[in-house]
């Protein structure tokens, strides 16, 4: 008999009968009917060619062969229980752990608020353990597609293919300069063409900020392509410092420079002829059932628009 054909339920019934339980009690403990229990034991007896259970008028009991088989099965059943417990623990760990990849603007300015709200909510047990990876939008998409992140948050101007995609809000880009820059004293806005023809401080290719800026210019009735940037930096913090200290005009998320604008360290330059905004979206792998932790975070994300 092939070991893979062993019926663990039937063997468990033998163990219960050997411990003094009736077939009815065994069925109740296993959550099945007595008829189903009897049928599985009979099937095992037929496959082995021996009688394992003597069915009397008062109570079933194991035959001598049944006692022998139940003894042999004890170690197998104990191993099966250990595996089941381990698998349940593994699933529980997976349900309570969450890897999130987020573009830098979302990771810095929105994710802390969502995580704080999730952790502060009472009456829902222990909060999930969240591992946050900050990256540009292109890398976030790749992490989600490759299964290295359960949820991703991106700022790309167009929907991402081959993933589940849901818009959760929007983000405005700002053209900023130091107070001493000539643009800070302009009487009117700078045009889209003037913006495209000026070397700017920008995020690196693949970032949501860079993609949104180039997409906005390229989507105009008369598409524009920006000239080579004055500098490419991987963080909004680097961009704002470069704009402040080196006096170069920059394009950055308004969220990242709100304190600098309020404090007078930077000045926002009005722009005409182009709308510099982008959607914020959450993504996850196609066909994936979200874990409890992912659903919990997503619930807080969707509770209100990003502020």
């Amino acid at each position: 008999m092939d070991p893979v054909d062993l019926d663990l339920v039937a063997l468990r019934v033998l163990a219960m009968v050997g411990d003094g339980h009736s077939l009815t009690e065994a069925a109740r403990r296993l959550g099945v009917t007595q008829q189903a229990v009897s049928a599985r034991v009979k099937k095992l007896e037929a496959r082995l060619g021996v009688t394992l259970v003597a069915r009397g008028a008062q109570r079933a009991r194991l035959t001598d062969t049944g006692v022998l088989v139940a003894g042999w099965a004890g170690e197998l059943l104990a191993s099966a229980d250990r595996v089941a417990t381990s698998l349940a623990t593994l699933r529980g760990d997976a349900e309570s752990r969450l890897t999130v990849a987020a573009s830098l603007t979302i990771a810095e300015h929105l994710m802390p608020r969502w995580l704080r709200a999730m952790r502060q909510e009472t009456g829902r047990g222990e909060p999930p353990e969240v591992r946050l990876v900050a990256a540009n939008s292109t890398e976030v998409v790749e992490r989600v597609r490759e299964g290295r992140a359960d949820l991703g948050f991106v700022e790309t101007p167009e929907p991402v293919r081959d993933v589940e995609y849901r818009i959760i809000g929007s983000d405005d880009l700002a053209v900023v300069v130091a107070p001493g820059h000539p643009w800070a004293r302009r009487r009117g806005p700078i045009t889209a063409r003037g913006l495209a023809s000026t070397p700017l401080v920008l995020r690196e290719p693949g970032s949501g900020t860079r993609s949104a800026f180039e997409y906005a210019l390229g989507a105009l009735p008369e598409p524009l392509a920006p000239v080579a940037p004055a500098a490419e930096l991987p963080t909004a913090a680097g961009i704002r410092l470069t704009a402040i200290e080196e006096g170069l005009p920059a394009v950055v998320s308004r969220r990242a420079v709100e304190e600098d604008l309020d404090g007078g360290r930077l000045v926002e330059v009005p722009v005409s002829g182009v709308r510099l905004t982008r959607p914020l979206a959450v993504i996850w792998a196609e066909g994936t059932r979200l874990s409890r932790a992912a659903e919990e975070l997503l619930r807080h994300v969707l509770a209100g628009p990003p502020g």
Side-chain angles (χ1 to χ4, degrees):
M1 181 179 182
D2 193 328
V4 299
D5 290 334
L6 289 175
D7 185 341
L8 291 180
V9 173
L11 294 177
R12 203 172 293 280
V13 171
L14 292 184
M16 290 181 182
V17 172
D19 288 337
H21 298 290
S22 67
L23 291 177
T24 301
E25 291 170 334
R28 179 176 55 79
R29 286 171 174 261
L30 293 173
V32 297
T33 65
Q34 181 180 343
Q35 290 79 4
V37 162
S38 296
R40 298 186 82 140
V41 171
K42 288 179 180 178
K43 184 176 181 180
L44 180 60
E45 289 176 325
R47 294 184 69 82
L48 295 175
V50 295
T51 300
L52 301 172
V53 177
R55 298 162 179 81
Q58 299 297 321
R59 180 182 292 270
R61 62 173 181 80
L62 296 183
T63 63
D64 291 343
T65 304
V67 171
L68 186 61
V69 172
W72 289 338
E75 184 177 347
L76 175 62
L77 294 173
S79 297
D81 288 340
R82 287 194 295 272
V83 170
T85 300
S86 298
L87 292 176
T89 302
L90 181 63
R91 177 175 174 78
D93 288 345
E95 288 289 309
S96 63
R97 286 201 309 263
L98 179 64
T99 299
V100 176
S103 60
L104 298 186
T105 299
I106 295 176
E108 286 185 46
H109 300 283
L110 295 174
M111 191 60 64
R113 178 186 313 163
W114 293 330
L115 294 178
R116 186 167 56 250
M118 184 170 65
R119 289 169 179 149
Q120 288 177 345
E121 188 172 80
T122 59
R124 300 182 66 88
E126 287 296 318
E129 175 190 340
V130 180
R131 175 175 178 263
L132 177 61
V133 178
N136 67 38
S137 291
T138 298
E139 185 177 344
V140 169
V141 173
E142 289 306 309
R143 283 178 174 271
V144 169
R145 284 176 176 161
E146 295 171 3
R148 292 185 289 140
D150 303 296
L151 287 177
F153 293 88
V154 295
E155 309 151 354
T156 54
E158 295 183 288
V160 183
R161 292 179 296 178
D162 304 323
V163 296
E164 302 291 341
Y165 177 93
R166 184 182 300 184
I167 292 177
I168 58 174
S170 62
D171 182 53
D172 293 330
L173 303 183
V175 178
V176 297
V177 294
H181 192 279
W183 284 7
R185 299 186 294 275
R186 288 180 61 94
R187 291 182 177 273
I190 187 169
T191 64
R193 188 170 297 279
L195 193 62
S197 62
T198 301
L200 303 167
V201 182
L202 299 171
R203 283 285 307 278
E204 78 285 5
S207 70
T209 303
R210 179 71 170 269
S211 297
F213 175 65
E214 294 178 345
Y215 179 84
L217 292 176
L220 294 173
E222 296 183 12
L224 297 171
V227 298
E232 294 178 338
L233 298 171
T235 65
I239 290 177
R240 54 177 286 276
L241 287 176
T242 300
I244 293 171
E245 296 178 0
E246 299 187 24
L248 296 172
V251 176
V252 67
S253 168
R254 185 178 287 118
R255 298 176 193 273
V257 292
E258 285 179 345
E259 292 185 3
D260 296 303
L261 295 175
D262 292 341
R265 292 179 293 276
L266 288 173
V267 176
E268 182 172 1
V269 181
V271 178
S272 65
V274 63
R275 186 166 181 260
L276 299 178
T277 189
R278 58 186 174 173
L280 305 180
V282 58
I283 62 174
W284 61 92
E286 278 187 324
T288 300
R289 184 190 71 82
L290 293 179
S291 67
R292 178 186 62 81
E295 289 181 345
E296 185 76 359
L297 176 57
L298 193 57
R299 185 174 64 83
H300 285 278
V301 170
L302 299 177

